[in-house]
Amino acid sequence: MHNQIIKVLNAEVSGCNAVLTEATVGDSFITVEASSILAVCELLKKSNDFQFNVLQVITGADYPDRMEVSYILASYIKNLEVIIKVKLPRESAEIQSVVSVWVAANFQERECYDMYGIKFSGHPDLRRILCPDDWSGFPLRKDYVVAEVYNGMVINPAHKINTADHMFAKKLKEELGNPKLVSSSWKDAADTTEVKEGE
Amino acid sequence: MQTIQLKKPVTPDLTFTQWFKNVYNGVRTTVIGMGITFKYVWDVKPVTIEYPEVREELPENSRSRLFNDAQNCISCLQCAAVCPVDCIYIASVKRPADAEKIKTKDGTAIRLDLKQYTIDTALCCYCGLCTTVCPTECLTHTTDYEFSSYTLSAMKYDYLAPDIRAWRTRLVKD
Amino acid sequence: MSTHTLEDNHKIILGDQEILKSDLLTLNMGPQHPATHGVLRVEIKTDSEIVVDAIPHLGYLHRCFEKHCENLDFRQVIPFVDRMDYLAAMNMELGYALAVEKMLGTEVPARAQYIRVIVSELQRIASHLMFFGTYAIDLGAFSPFLYAFQDREDILRLFEELSGARLLYNYIWIGGVWNDITDAQLNRTKTFLDTFEESLKKYHSLVGENQIFIGRTANVGVISKENAFAYGVTGPVLRGSGVKWDLRKDRPYSIYEKFEFNIPVGVGEKGTVGDCWDRYHVRVLEMFESIKIVRQCLDGIEAGPIIGKVPKIIKVPAGEIYLRTECPRGELGYHLISDGGKKPYRLKVKSSCFTHISALPAIAPGQMIADLVATIGSIDIVLGEVDR
């Protein structure tokens, strides 16, 4: 089925460069060019062989050199499923919205924008959906750091963190003089890192 | 300009027989319903238990408050490693080579002296992963479910403190 | 704060005539509301009593589960997966465990498979009972709520004996299940199913056949077949609109191919196809089918180990998988991307309730506000799954 899709896509949609990644573990997926995603989706929905009439989910994934957006489509008529992936640059990630093909894309693209900062051009109402409207930062990016303060409220206030318990082992090591004698569930290299030994 | 189309309810013309049929249907379904309700009034035993005079027996493997039997702990740190919310704080010191050799209940040698074993019960999610990895089974879930307190700091249980160690008589069967 | 605006020059047509309209009033069906099944905020623009637009605002229960599980081992994710749809926790765990097992290539022993199906179907019954009770109470009927919860207590008591908790189980592990089920518990389940089947028929005649209930739910909140596919709704909502699609039959997972059961579909018995009554009726009929499946499981359960060979430290090979299972609320999908390490690189959860809530602006306009309550209740959302 995947090879058939690749043939049809490369034939009908010019410039889409559909490439199949066969997977030994898990699912195989098809990668296409970001600029041709709207044409690809329209073709997959309308074609009589596949009839992908339902868009299930649009997800993103953040890699060091790129941002990937996966479109997982399903055909409830022919009982098929396919994953279409698109690679975008990390800075200024922008892609065309597919709301005109499936209305289900509305909320899915809003969530992708909220979590990754990927802009979907042509979306009727692109604003944050799960985070508050004035939140700064895109949470699911790998380089996301939580802000210190939000609207005057301190995020992670110091009195709620059990610092005394975390520092117990460190104090014990200083008391005894020989740090090798103490084993603890909290590493004390920097004060509030929460990395544990024994994993 | 948004146009909202309301659906005009399609009712056939109301004839005499239809009116009686409607009345009959209404009364019949109401009587069936009230029959069930009255059956519950007279016939069914109430399932409410009068807490706190009557308390329900929780099953034995119910995952409520944790208890660590500190004298049997070998400080393997497995429970702290597997905890998904990092609520277990452990620190222990190696026993000197010439100290008395002590063992746990099931014969494992204890090589580390436990200096800190605190569980922040307010953070704990009661998943039970820590109790499954404990090799000596000193960390167990009990069936105590009434342990709310007035302050957050009171929810941090120090299992080396004498008052919590005293629970051992009630909870651990030797 | 939103940029979504509605022009105030709307038209309301009844039959073929335009009726007198009034100014638009914005009402807030706020995050704290007894009938929204969680912290859902719906911004309703109404013209007197008629809803002109209903915009859902989500995110009040957002805990960023997807980011959090990038820091957890594969085993540690299971308690968190429970907490998304907390009323159908076994089904959430099953989907995740199946996804990881498929990547690892682990074989789950037969007894564990049977126990998983028993637990999942009992959880489906419990979740639909919760829907039944809360839907009736949304529409004003108080007794069915207590009757439904009485039966649900029996199921939850069995789950407490099996796993230790009543709602958030951490029971279905990667490779099998945690605890074994005893013969006494199996016999108790059998007697429970027999009594429950009789009670369920009574409950349906109490609520579903009641003229007031039919008056409030028939022809209300109609989702047509085209809208259903366009918005991507799944599960009982899709089956209520007349589409015969159930993942347990069409794309079987676990051991569902061994069982015989029917797929109930809405036919517009009391009104139009795809109205609230159809969705309610589909869920009641699904409870009967689940009873059938559990009975077949109880007859066919084999002896054996309850957990397969899983390494102490689980490292999933690099790759990705999208696995969907049929949960009481719809299709739940797990898109797991692994880079070969001990923690998931990206775990995306496709929640059915999120997609269903997106259909609200399409089905709400034209109804009264009371009908909106009936519509939201019939879609059966749980905000834990919507917001994750």
Side-chain angles (χ1 to χ4, degrees), chain A residues 162 165-166 168-169 172 176 181-186 194 196-199, chain B residues 77 80-81 83 86 88-94 115-116 118 120 156:
Chain A
N162 295 325
D165 294 295
H166 298 181
F168 189 96
L172 198 57
L176 292 178
L181 288 178
V182 177
S183 73
S184 138
S185 59
W186 290 85
E194 287 153 39
K196 293 178 300 188
E197 303 172 347
E199 263 188 293
Chain B
L77 305 180
C83 177
D86 305 340
I88 307 184
Y89 314 122
I90 310 177
S92 52
V93 177
K94 199 161 173 185
K115 293 286 177 205
Q116 175 204 30
T118 310
D120 190 346
K156 274 194 282 199

PDB file of all heavy atoms in Angstrom, chain A residues 162 165-166 168-169 172 176 181-186 194 196-199, chain B residues 77 80-81 83 86 88-94 115-116 118 120 156:
ATOM      1  N   ASN A 162      11.218  20.616  48.700  1.00  0.00           N
ATOM      2  CA  ASN A 162      11.767  20.037  49.934  1.00  0.00           C
ATOM      3  C   ASN A 162      13.279  20.140  49.940  1.00  0.00           C
ATOM      4  O   ASN A 162      13.991  19.139  49.930  1.00  0.00           O
ATOM      5  CB  ASN A 162      11.356  18.569  50.041  1.00  0.00           C
ATOM      6  CG  ASN A 162       9.869  18.414  50.199  1.00  0.00           C
ATOM      7  OD1 ASN A 162       9.219  19.237  50.828  1.00  0.00           O
ATOM      8  ND2 ASN A 162       9.317  17.368  49.624  1.00  0.00           N
ATOM      9  N   ASP A 165      15.383  18.266  52.672  1.00  0.00           N
ATOM     10  CA  ASP A 165      15.536  16.821  52.490  1.00  0.00           C
ATOM     11  C   ASP A 165      16.519  16.506  51.378  1.00  0.00           C
ATOM     12  O   ASP A 165      17.293  15.554  51.473  1.00  0.00           O
ATOM     13  CB  ASP A 165      14.173  16.197  52.158  1.00  0.00           C
ATOM     14  CG  ASP A 165      13.227  16.310  53.323  1.00  0.00           C
ATOM     15  OD1 ASP A 165      13.500  15.691  54.360  1.00  0.00           O
ATOM     16  OD2 ASP A 165      12.233  17.043  53.194  1.00  0.00           O
ATOM     17  N   HIS A 166      16.513  17.333  50.299  1.00  0.00           N
ATOM     18  CA  HIS A 166      17.453  17.072  49.220  1.00  0.00           C
ATOM     19  C   HIS A 166      18.886  17.258  49.698  1.00  0.00           C
ATOM     20  O   HIS A 166      19.789  16.553  49.269  1.00  0.00           O
ATOM     21  CB  HIS A 166      17.220  18.040  48.044  1.00  0.00           C
ATOM     22  CG  HIS A 166      15.860  17.912  47.425  1.00  0.00           C
ATOM     23  ND1 HIS A 166      15.460  18.657  46.367  1.00  0.00           N
ATOM     24  CD2 HIS A 166      14.805  17.134  47.722  1.00  0.00           C
ATOM     25  CE1 HIS A 166      14.215  18.341  46.042  1.00  0.00           C
ATOM     26  NE2 HIS A 166      13.795  17.423  46.852  1.00  0.00           N
ATOM     27  N   PHE A 168      20.153  16.854  52.697  1.00  0.00           N
ATOM     28  CA  PHE A 168      20.553  16.039  53.851  1.00  0.00           C
ATOM     29  C   PHE A 168      21.817  15.256  53.554  1.00  0.00           C
ATOM     30  O   PHE A 168      22.764  15.233  54.344  1.00  0.00           O
ATOM     31  CB  PHE A 168      19.400  15.091  54.204  1.00  0.00           C
ATOM     32  CG  PHE A 168      19.599  14.347  55.485  1.00  0.00           C
ATOM     33  CD1 PHE A 168      19.043  14.826  56.652  1.00  0.00           C
ATOM     34  CD2 PHE A 168      20.328  13.179  55.526  1.00  0.00           C
ATOM     35  CE1 PHE A 168      19.205  14.141  57.838  1.00  0.00           C
ATOM     36  CE2 PHE A 168      20.500  12.490  56.703  1.00  0.00           C
ATOM     37  CZ  PHE A 168      19.942  12.967  57.866  1.00  0.00           C
ATOM     38  N   ALA A 169      21.843  14.614  52.386  1.00  0.00           N
ATOM     39  CA  ALA A 169      23.012  13.777  52.071  1.00  0.00           C
ATOM     40  C   ALA A 169      24.251  14.632  51.921  1.00  0.00           C
ATOM     41  O   ALA A 169      25.353  14.237  52.325  1.00  0.00           O
ATOM     42  CB  ALA A 169      22.742  12.993  50.793  1.00  0.00           C
ATOM     43  N   LEU A 172      25.552  15.482  55.232  1.00  0.00           N
ATOM     44  CA  LEU A 172      26.132  14.276  55.840  1.00  0.00           C
ATOM     45  C   LEU A 172      27.536  14.046  55.310  1.00  0.00           C
ATOM     46  O   LEU A 172      28.467  13.708  56.058  1.00  0.00           O
ATOM     47  CB  LEU A 172      25.229  13.087  55.531  1.00  0.00           C
ATOM     48  CG  LEU A 172      25.372  11.835  56.368  1.00  0.00           C
ATOM     49  CD1 LEU A 172      25.177  12.164  57.820  1.00  0.00           C
ATOM     50  CD2 LEU A 172      24.346  10.813  55.938  1.00  0.00           C
ATOM     51  N   LEU A 176      31.007  13.954  57.619  1.00  0.00           N
ATOM     52  CA  LEU A 176      31.864  12.782  57.772  1.00  0.00           C
ATOM     53  C   LEU A 176      33.235  13.000  57.164  1.00  0.00           C
ATOM     54  O   LEU A 176      34.176  12.301  57.498  1.00  0.00           O
ATOM     55  CB  LEU A 176      31.219  11.570  57.094  1.00  0.00           C
ATOM     56  CG  LEU A 176      29.960  11.063  57.762  1.00  0.00           C
ATOM     57  CD1 LEU A 176      29.390   9.912  56.971  1.00  0.00           C
ATOM     58  CD2 LEU A 176      30.268  10.585  59.166  1.00  0.00           C
ATOM     59  N   LEU A 181      31.644   7.410  51.626  1.00  0.00           N
ATOM     60  CA  LEU A 181      30.918   6.555  52.573  1.00  0.00           C
ATOM     61  C   LEU A 181      29.413   6.725  52.470  1.00  0.00           C
ATOM     62  O   LEU A 181      28.667   5.887  52.951  1.00  0.00           O
ATOM     63  CB  LEU A 181      31.343   6.890  54.012  1.00  0.00           C
ATOM     64  CG  LEU A 181      32.733   6.444  54.421  1.00  0.00           C
ATOM     65  CD1 LEU A 181      32.987   6.909  55.848  1.00  0.00           C
ATOM     66  CD2 LEU A 181      32.842   4.934  54.363  1.00  0.00           C
ATOM     67  N   VAL A 182      28.970   7.840  51.868  1.00  0.00           N
ATOM     68  CA  VAL A 182      27.537   8.146  51.877  1.00  0.00           C
ATOM     69  C   VAL A 182      26.919   7.758  50.533  1.00  0.00           C
ATOM     70  O   VAL A 182      27.439   8.117  49.483  1.00  0.00           O
ATOM     71  CB  VAL A 182      27.316   9.661  52.113  1.00  0.00           C
ATOM     72  CG1 VAL A 182      25.843   9.991  52.059  1.00  0.00           C
ATOM     73  CG2 VAL A 182      27.906  10.065  53.440  1.00  0.00           C
ATOM     74  N   SER A 183      25.844   7.002  50.592  1.00  0.00           N
ATOM     75  CA  SER A 183      25.086   6.759  49.359  1.00  0.00           C
ATOM     76  C   SER A 183      23.702   7.356  49.550  1.00  0.00           C
ATOM     77  O   SER A 183      23.124   7.271  50.631  1.00  0.00           O
ATOM     78  CB  SER A 183      24.991   5.273  49.054  1.00  0.00           C
ATOM     79  OG  SER A 183      24.104   4.643  49.922  1.00  0.00           O
ATOM     80  N   SER A 184      23.219   7.987  48.481  1.00  0.00           N
ATOM     81  CA  SER A 184      21.963   8.716  48.654  1.00  0.00           C
ATOM     82  C   SER A 184      21.169   8.661  47.371  1.00  0.00           C
ATOM     83  O   SER A 184      21.688   8.360  46.303  1.00  0.00           O
ATOM     84  CB  SER A 184      22.270  10.158  49.036  1.00  0.00           C
ATOM     85  OG  SER A 184      21.436  11.024  48.346  1.00  0.00           O
ATOM     86  N   SER A 185      19.890   8.978  47.469  1.00  0.00           N
ATOM     87  CA  SER A 185      19.054   8.964  46.274  1.00  0.00           C
ATOM     88  C   SER A 185      19.078  10.300  45.560  1.00  0.00           C
ATOM     89  O   SER A 185      18.418  10.470  44.561  1.00  0.00           O
ATOM     90  CB  SER A 185      17.621   8.603  46.649  1.00  0.00           C
ATOM     91  OG  SER A 185      17.128   9.532  47.568  1.00  0.00           O
ATOM     92  N   TRP A 186      19.812  11.286  46.063  1.00  0.00           N
ATOM     93  CA  TRP A 186      19.873  12.599  45.420  1.00  0.00           C
ATOM     94  C   TRP A 186      21.319  12.956  45.162  1.00  0.00           C
ATOM     95  O   TRP A 186      22.155  12.902  46.048  1.00  0.00           O
ATOM     96  CB  TRP A 186      19.244  13.665  46.320  1.00  0.00           C
ATOM     97  CG  TRP A 186      17.779  13.466  46.403  1.00  0.00           C
ATOM     98  CD1 TRP A 186      17.122  12.645  47.250  1.00  0.00           C
ATOM     99  CD2 TRP A 186      16.792  14.053  45.579  1.00  0.00           C
ATOM    100  NE1 TRP A 186      15.784  12.691  47.006  1.00  0.00           N
ATOM    101  CE2 TRP A 186      15.552  13.551  45.994  1.00  0.00           C
ATOM    102  CE3 TRP A 186      16.836  14.969  44.522  1.00  0.00           C
ATOM    103  CZ2 TRP A 186      14.365  13.918  45.390  1.00  0.00           C
ATOM    104  CZ3 TRP A 186      15.647  15.344  43.928  1.00  0.00           C
ATOM    105  CH2 TRP A 186      14.426  14.816  44.366  1.00  0.00           C
ATOM    106  N   GLU A 194      17.635  17.539  40.117  1.00  0.00           N
ATOM    107  CA  GLU A 194      16.915  16.384  40.647  1.00  0.00           C
ATOM    108  C   GLU A 194      17.274  15.136  39.876  1.00  0.00           C
ATOM    109  O   GLU A 194      16.425  14.434  39.373  1.00  0.00           O
ATOM    110  CB  GLU A 194      15.413  16.642  40.565  1.00  0.00           C
ATOM    111  CG  GLU A 194      14.994  17.645  41.590  1.00  0.00           C
ATOM    112  CD  GLU A 194      13.762  18.395  41.167  1.00  0.00           C
ATOM    113  OE1 GLU A 194      12.866  17.795  40.581  1.00  0.00           O
ATOM    114  OE2 GLU A 194      13.723  19.605  41.416  1.00  0.00           O
ATOM    115  N   LYS A 196      18.905  11.432  39.985  1.00  0.00           N
ATOM    116  CA  LYS A 196      19.140  10.472  41.059  1.00  0.00           C
ATOM    117  C   LYS A 196      20.188   9.465  40.655  1.00  0.00           C
ATOM    118  O   LYS A 196      20.316   9.109  39.493  1.00  0.00           O
ATOM    119  CB  LYS A 196      17.844   9.728  41.370  1.00  0.00           C
ATOM    120  CG  LYS A 196      16.808  10.632  41.962  1.00  0.00           C
ATOM    121  CD  LYS A 196      15.554   9.859  42.196  1.00  0.00           C
ATOM    122  CE  LYS A 196      15.036   9.308  40.888  1.00  0.00           C
ATOM    123  NZ  LYS A 196      13.727   8.716  41.106  1.00  0.00           N
ATOM    124  N   GLU A 197      20.866   8.907  41.635  1.00  0.00           N
ATOM    125  CA  GLU A 197      21.749   7.779  41.376  1.00  0.00           C
ATOM    126  C   GLU A 197      20.924   6.518  41.432  1.00  0.00           C
ATOM    127  O   GLU A 197      19.786   6.526  41.856  1.00  0.00           O
ATOM    128  CB  GLU A 197      22.818   7.689  42.481  1.00  0.00           C
ATOM    129  CG  GLU A 197      23.620   8.947  42.629  1.00  0.00           C
ATOM    130  CD  GLU A 197      24.508   8.862  43.869  1.00  0.00           C
ATOM    131  OE1 GLU A 197      24.315   7.959  44.697  1.00  0.00           O
ATOM    132  OE2 GLU A 197      25.381   9.713  43.979  1.00  0.00           O
ATOM    133  N   GLY A 198      21.536   5.434  41.081  1.00  0.00           N
ATOM    134  CA  GLY A 198      20.839   4.151  41.237  1.00  0.00           C
ATOM    135  C   GLY A 198      19.818   3.904  40.157  1.00  0.00           C
ATOM    136  O   GLY A 198      18.944   3.067  40.309  1.00  0.00           O
ATOM    137  N   GLU A 199      19.885   4.613  39.046  1.00  0.00           N
ATOM    138  CA  GLU A 199      18.879   4.376  37.980  1.00  0.00           C
ATOM    139  C   GLU A 199      19.352   3.298  37.033  1.00  0.00           C
ATOM    140  O   GLU A 199      20.449   3.380  36.533  1.00  0.00           O
ATOM    141  CB  GLU A 199      18.676   5.656  37.187  1.00  0.00           C
ATOM    142  CG  GLU A 199      17.478   6.395  37.686  1.00  0.00           C
ATOM    143  CD  GLU A 199      17.161   7.562  36.781  1.00  0.00           C
ATOM    144  OE1 GLU A 199      17.978   8.471  36.761  1.00  0.00           O
ATOM    145  OE2 GLU A 199      16.148   7.512  36.097  1.00  0.00           O
TER     146      GLU A 199
ATOM    147  N   LEU B  77      18.299   1.681  47.422  1.00  0.00           N
ATOM    148  CA  LEU B  77      17.874   2.866  46.674  1.00  0.00           C
ATOM    149  C   LEU B  77      16.982   2.523  45.482  1.00  0.00           C
ATOM    150  O   LEU B  77      16.719   3.381  44.650  1.00  0.00           O
ATOM    151  CB  LEU B  77      19.080   3.682  46.166  1.00  0.00           C
ATOM    152  CG  LEU B  77      20.092   4.116  47.211  1.00  0.00           C
ATOM    153  CD1 LEU B  77      21.199   4.906  46.543  1.00  0.00           C
ATOM    154  CD2 LEU B  77      19.445   4.970  48.270  1.00  0.00           C
ATOM    155  N   ALA B  80      13.615   4.603  45.516  1.00  0.00           N
ATOM    156  CA  ALA B  80      13.768   6.008  45.119  1.00  0.00           C
ATOM    157  C   ALA B  80      14.008   6.118  43.624  1.00  0.00           C
ATOM    158  O   ALA B  80      13.576   7.067  42.987  1.00  0.00           O
ATOM    159  CB  ALA B  80      14.906   6.645  45.894  1.00  0.00           C
ATOM    160  N   ALA B  81      14.693   5.118  43.048  1.00  0.00           N
ATOM    161  CA  ALA B  81      14.993   5.181  41.619  1.00  0.00           C
ATOM    162  C   ALA B  81      13.739   4.990  40.780  1.00  0.00           C
ATOM    163  O   ALA B  81      13.570   5.609  39.743  1.00  0.00           O
ATOM    164  CB  ALA B  81      16.023   4.112  41.257  1.00  0.00           C
ATOM    165  N   CYS B  83      10.571   5.563  41.686  1.00  0.00           N
ATOM    166  CA  CYS B  83       9.435   6.429  41.994  1.00  0.00           C
ATOM    167  C   CYS B  83       9.216   7.436  40.874  1.00  0.00           C
ATOM    168  O   CYS B  83      10.129   8.180  40.531  1.00  0.00           O
ATOM    169  CB  CYS B  83       9.700   7.158  43.312  1.00  0.00           C
ATOM    170  SG  CYS B  83       8.414   8.326  43.741  1.00  0.00           S
ATOM    171  N   ASP B  86       9.548  11.089  42.422  1.00  0.00           N
ATOM    172  CA  ASP B  86      10.729  11.426  43.232  1.00  0.00           C
ATOM    173  C   ASP B  86      10.344  11.934  44.592  1.00  0.00           C
ATOM    174  O   ASP B  86      10.717  13.028  45.000  1.00  0.00           O
ATOM    175  CB  ASP B  86      11.596  12.491  42.545  1.00  0.00           C
ATOM    176  CG  ASP B  86      11.999  12.081  41.155  1.00  0.00           C
ATOM    177  OD1 ASP B  86      11.943  10.871  40.869  1.00  0.00           O
ATOM    178  OD2 ASP B  86      12.358  12.954  40.367  1.00  0.00           O
ATOM    179  N   ILE B  88      10.803   9.989  47.456  1.00  0.00           N
ATOM    180  CA  ILE B  88      11.499   9.249  48.505  1.00  0.00           C
ATOM    181  C   ILE B  88      12.913   9.802  48.627  1.00  0.00           C
ATOM    182  O   ILE B  88      13.637   9.892  47.638  1.00  0.00           O
ATOM    183  CB  ILE B  88      11.565   7.745  48.176  1.00  0.00           C
ATOM    184  CG1 ILE B  88      10.167   7.221  47.886  1.00  0.00           C
ATOM    185  CG2 ILE B  88      12.179   6.982  49.326  1.00  0.00           C
ATOM    186  CD1 ILE B  88      10.105   5.756  47.652  1.00  0.00           C
ATOM    187  N   TYR B  89      13.287  10.194  49.845  1.00  0.00           N
ATOM    188  CA  TYR B  89      14.619  10.758  50.088  1.00  0.00           C
ATOM    189  C   TYR B  89      15.371   9.813  51.009  1.00  0.00           C
ATOM    190  O   TYR B  89      14.944   9.549  52.123  1.00  0.00           O
ATOM    191  CB  TYR B  89      14.514  12.130  50.750  1.00  0.00           C
ATOM    192  CG  TYR B  89      13.500  13.034  50.095  1.00  0.00           C
ATOM    193  CD1 TYR B  89      12.441  13.550  50.827  1.00  0.00           C
ATOM    194  CD2 TYR B  89      13.585  13.361  48.753  1.00  0.00           C
ATOM    195  CE1 TYR B  89      11.506  14.374  50.246  1.00  0.00           C
ATOM    196  CE2 TYR B  89      12.658  14.177  48.160  1.00  0.00           C
ATOM    197  CZ  TYR B  89      11.617  14.677  48.903  1.00  0.00           C
ATOM    198  OH  TYR B  89      10.687  15.481  48.323  1.00  0.00           O
ATOM    199  N   ILE B  90      16.488   9.302  50.516  1.00  0.00           N
ATOM    200  CA  ILE B  90      17.252   8.323  51.297  1.00  0.00           C
ATOM    201  C   ILE B  90      18.695   8.782  51.389  1.00  0.00           C
ATOM    202  O   ILE B  90      19.270   9.259  50.404  1.00  0.00           O
ATOM    203  CB  ILE B  90      17.237   6.936  50.619  1.00  0.00           C
ATOM    204  CG1 ILE B  90      15.813   6.537  50.250  1.00  0.00           C
ATOM    205  CG2 ILE B  90      17.861   5.892  51.513  1.00  0.00           C
ATOM    206  CD1 ILE B  90      15.751   5.234  49.536  1.00  0.00           C
ATOM    207  N   ALA B  91      19.296   8.629  52.569  1.00  0.00           N
ATOM    208  CA  ALA B  91      20.743   8.833  52.710  1.00  0.00           C
ATOM    209  C   ALA B  91      21.224   7.793  53.705  1.00  0.00           C
ATOM    210  O   ALA B  91      20.602   7.592  54.747  1.00  0.00           O
ATOM    211  CB  ALA B  91      21.062  10.234  53.197  1.00  0.00           C
ATOM    212  N   SER B  92      22.330   7.145  53.392  1.00  0.00           N
ATOM    213  CA  SER B  92      22.834   6.131  54.314  1.00  0.00           C
ATOM    214  C   SER B  92      24.353   6.133  54.277  1.00  0.00           C
ATOM    215  O   SER B  92      24.981   6.563  53.317  1.00  0.00           O
ATOM    216  CB  SER B  92      22.300   4.752  53.948  1.00  0.00           C
ATOM    217  OG  SER B  92      22.558   4.497  52.598  1.00  0.00           O
ATOM    218  N   VAL B  93      24.939   5.630  55.327  1.00  0.00           N
ATOM    219  CA  VAL B  93      26.389   5.644  55.515  1.00  0.00           C
ATOM    220  C   VAL B  93      26.880   4.209  55.596  1.00  0.00           C
ATOM    221  O   VAL B  93      26.247   3.359  56.223  1.00  0.00           O
ATOM    222  CB  VAL B  93      26.748   6.398  56.818  1.00  0.00           C
ATOM    223  CG1 VAL B  93      28.234   6.364  57.050  1.00  0.00           C
ATOM    224  CG2 VAL B  93      26.266   7.817  56.733  1.00  0.00           C
ATOM    225  N   LYS B  94      28.039   3.967  54.984  1.00  0.00           N
ATOM    226  CA  LYS B  94      28.595   2.612  54.984  1.00  0.00           C
ATOM    227  C   LYS B  94      29.021   2.231  56.398  1.00  0.00           C
ATOM    228  O   LYS B  94      29.650   3.013  57.101  1.00  0.00           O
ATOM    229  CB  LYS B  94      29.815   2.603  54.064  1.00  0.00           C
ATOM    230  CG  LYS B  94      30.220   1.257  53.606  1.00  0.00           C
ATOM    231  CD  LYS B  94      31.095   1.358  52.385  1.00  0.00           C
ATOM    232  CE  LYS B  94      31.616  -0.038  52.071  1.00  0.00           C
ATOM    233  NZ  LYS B  94      32.544  -0.022  51.004  1.00  0.00           N
ATOM    234  N   LYS B 115      20.424   6.716  57.432  1.00  0.00           N
ATOM    235  CA  LYS B 115      20.412   7.962  58.207  1.00  0.00           C
ATOM    236  C   LYS B 115      19.197   8.813  57.890  1.00  0.00           C
ATOM    237  O   LYS B 115      18.794   9.657  58.669  1.00  0.00           O
ATOM    238  CB  LYS B 115      21.668   8.791  57.881  1.00  0.00           C
ATOM    239  CG  LYS B 115      22.932   8.169  58.337  1.00  0.00           C
ATOM    240  CD  LYS B 115      23.085   8.283  59.837  1.00  0.00           C
ATOM    241  CE  LYS B 115      24.352   7.580  60.259  1.00  0.00           C
ATOM    242  NZ  LYS B 115      24.304   7.125  61.634  1.00  0.00           N
ATOM    243  N   GLN B 116      18.670   8.658  56.682  1.00  0.00           N
ATOM    244  CA  GLN B 116      17.504   9.458  56.313  1.00  0.00           C
ATOM    245  C   GLN B 116      16.614   8.579  55.443  1.00  0.00           C
ATOM    246  O   GLN B 116      17.061   8.028  54.444  1.00  0.00           O
ATOM    247  CB  GLN B 116      17.916  10.693  55.507  1.00  0.00           C
ATOM    248  CG  GLN B 116      16.735  11.502  54.990  1.00  0.00           C
ATOM    249  CD  GLN B 116      17.070  12.344  53.768  1.00  0.00           C
ATOM    250  OE1 GLN B 116      17.925  11.987  52.981  1.00  0.00           O
ATOM    251  NE2 GLN B 116      16.396  13.449  53.611  1.00  0.00           N
ATOM    252  N   THR B 118      12.885   9.429  54.244  1.00  0.00           N
ATOM    253  CA  THR B 118      11.686  10.272  54.320  1.00  0.00           C
ATOM    254  C   THR B 118      10.881  10.089  53.051  1.00  0.00           C
ATOM    255  O   THR B 118      11.429  10.077  51.955  1.00  0.00           O
ATOM    256  CB  THR B 118      12.080  11.749  54.442  1.00  0.00           C
ATOM    257  OG1 THR B 118      13.031  11.871  55.488  1.00  0.00           O
ATOM    258  CG2 THR B 118      10.887  12.610  54.754  1.00  0.00           C
ATOM    259  N   ASP B 120       7.679  11.888  51.140  1.00  0.00           N
ATOM    260  CA  ASP B 120       6.731  12.996  51.156  1.00  0.00           C
ATOM    261  C   ASP B 120       5.394  12.458  50.667  1.00  0.00           C
ATOM    262  O   ASP B 120       5.155  12.312  49.464  1.00  0.00           O
ATOM    263  CB  ASP B 120       7.234  14.119  50.247  1.00  0.00           C
ATOM    264  CG  ASP B 120       6.414  15.382  50.413  1.00  0.00           C
ATOM    265  OD1 ASP B 120       5.314  15.310  51.008  1.00  0.00           O
ATOM    266  OD2 ASP B 120       6.856  16.429  49.951  1.00  0.00           O
ATOM    267  N   LYS B 156       5.182  14.835  55.488  1.00  0.00           N
ATOM    268  CA  LYS B 156       6.474  14.212  55.195  1.00  0.00           C
ATOM    269  C   LYS B 156       6.757  13.231  56.319  1.00  0.00           C
ATOM    270  O   LYS B 156       6.976  13.635  57.455  1.00  0.00           O
ATOM    271  CB  LYS B 156       7.576  15.271  55.138  1.00  0.00           C
ATOM    272  CG  LYS B 156       7.690  15.901  53.771  1.00  0.00           C
ATOM    273  CD  LYS B 156       8.958  16.671  53.634  1.00  0.00           C
ATOM    274  CE  LYS B 156       8.811  17.988  54.339  1.00  0.00           C
ATOM    275  NZ  LYS B 156       9.793  18.954  53.888  1.00  0.00           N
TER     276      LYS B 156
END
